[in-house]
Amino acid sequence: MIDRAIFESLQTKIDEEATVRDELRDIVQNLARKGRSTQAALSRAHSTPAAQLTPVLEDVTKEIISQKEEVSRLKTVADKHPFYKYNGAWTRDLQNLVASIELTAWLGGFKEYKGSENASFLTIEEVGKFLEIPVNLKEEDAFHLTLEEYLLALISMIEELARLAVNSVTLGDYGRPALIGNFMKELFNGFQLLNLKNDTLRKRSDAIKYSVKKVEDVVYDLSLRNLIPKGQGV
């Protein structure tokens, strides 16, 4: 006969995993809730002229710092368990947070974390420094920001910038779409250098060209109307 203790032991392990998932779920739910507040604050950038963005960026930064605190809590719990067993619970929300950080950086925030004063975005190492978490760990099974999460966040930022280009025209800022277009083209060129194996990442990166074309169409229409300041259409 089969010893019942075997199944009792399995049930104990199931209960332990359920406890871990519940603890992680509570933290991730808080991270997601604060993430929605961050995105709501960041959406104001679409209806605010560039010269008046400072109050918006200050509000967004406060929301992002609040999310950073949840990431610290998440790291404390996740470090005790196998990373790839549970990271599906938080990967989407972490991507959204990094995308918000990147867009805020492009708009002029987080200057103290940029490796260069002229940088338009944060590298994965700079994002890790800000969030105070490791990045791209290979030999250690611990909480970290993966390369895939970082690249997917950059793609989300590009999509949001395409929307910003259109809204900038509505605000009468005809120079910004050209600046956005130049930046997006540089990032697109960078992505073309990557040999991506991840199916989701490859499909998302293929869509960058449509965001680039969307902005190019905006810049083209502005050029026909001689509305772009000289030197910004190049």
Side-chain angles (χ1 to χ4, degrees):
M1 296 185 62
I2 298 177
D3 189 349
R4 291 185 59 183
I6 296 174
F7 290 92
E8 291 174 354
S9 175
L10 290 175
Q11 183 59 53
T12 299
K13 293 179 180 179
I14 290 173
D15 292 340
E16 289 173 352
E17 288 193 7
T19 300
V20 172
R21 293 185 187 279
D22 289 342
E23 187 176 10
L24 290 172
R25 184 176 64 248
D26 290 341
I27 298 173
V28 172
Q29 285 178 345
N30 286 332
L31 179 63
R33 176 176 55 80
K34 293 181 178 181
R36 290 190 291 271
S37 296
T38 298
Q39 291 173 355
L42 195 51
S43 66
R44 291 164 49 200
H46 291 278
S47 57
T48 304
Q52 302 172 19
L53 272 178
T54 300
V56 174
L57 294 179
E58 290 175 350
D59 290 343
V60 172
T61 301
K62 291 178 182 177
E63 297 291 347
I64 289 177
I65 290 176
S66 180
Q67 282 190 271
K68 177 183 173 181
E69 295 172 356
E70 293 299 326
V71 171
S72 297
R73 288 182 58 208
L74 179 60
K75 181 180 183 301
T76 300
V77 176
D79 276 345
K80 302 175 184 177
H81 309 286
F83 176 76
Y84 284 105
K85 184 173 184 177
Y86 296 103
N87 80 309
W90 64 72
T91 184
R92 177 61 63 86
D93 294 296
L94 187 57
Q95 288 174 33
N96 291 339
L97 171 57
V98 175
S100 296
I101 291 172
E102 291 291 357
L103 182 56
T104 303
W106 190 89
L107 292 171
F110 302 119
K111 293 180 180 179
E112 64 273 28
Y113 291 96
K114 295 179 180 179
S116 168
E117 293 183 0
N118 298 323
S120 297
F121 72 107
L122 301 180
T123 64
I124 186 172
E125 290 80 12
E126 290 162 351
V127 172
K129 178 183 176 182
F130 169 72
L131 291 175
E132 298 179 356
I133 59 174
V135 298
N136 193 32
L137 290 181
K138 297 180 181 179
E139 299 178 356
E140 184 180 353
D141 189 11
F143 179 86
H144 64 281
L145 175 66
T146 67
L147 284 175
E148 289 79 9
E149 289 168 340
Y150 174 73
L151 291 173
L152 287 168
L154 285 183
I155 295 171
S156 295
M157 177 194 61
I158 290 173
E159 294 169 348
E160 196 67 11
L161 282 174
R163 178 180 164 224
L164 181 62
V166 176
N167 289 326
S168 295
V169 176
T170 305
L171 293 173
D173 187 347
Y174 304 129
R176 186 187 267 183
L179 295 175
I180 291 174
N182 291 338
F183 172 67
M184 288 172 58
K185 288 175 185 177
E186 290 186 14
L187 273 186
F188 182 48
N189 290 339
F191 269 90
Q192 287 182 309
L193 297 175
L194 302 177
N195 182 17
L196 300 173
K197 304 296 184 180
N198 183 297
D199 288 341
T200 301
L201 183 56
R202 189 178 67 250
K203 291 177 181 177
R204 287 285 306 278
S205 64
D206 287 344
I208 294 177
K209 60 186 175 183
Y210 299 109
S211 295
V212 172
K213 184 179 185 306
K214 180 178 180 180
V215 177
E216 285 178 339
D217 290 342
V218 172
V219 174
Y220 177 72
D221 288 341
L222 292 173
S223 299
L224 289 180
R225 294 168 173 76
N226 294 318
L227 293 174
I228 295 182
K230 291 184 178 179
Q232 291 193 19
V234 179

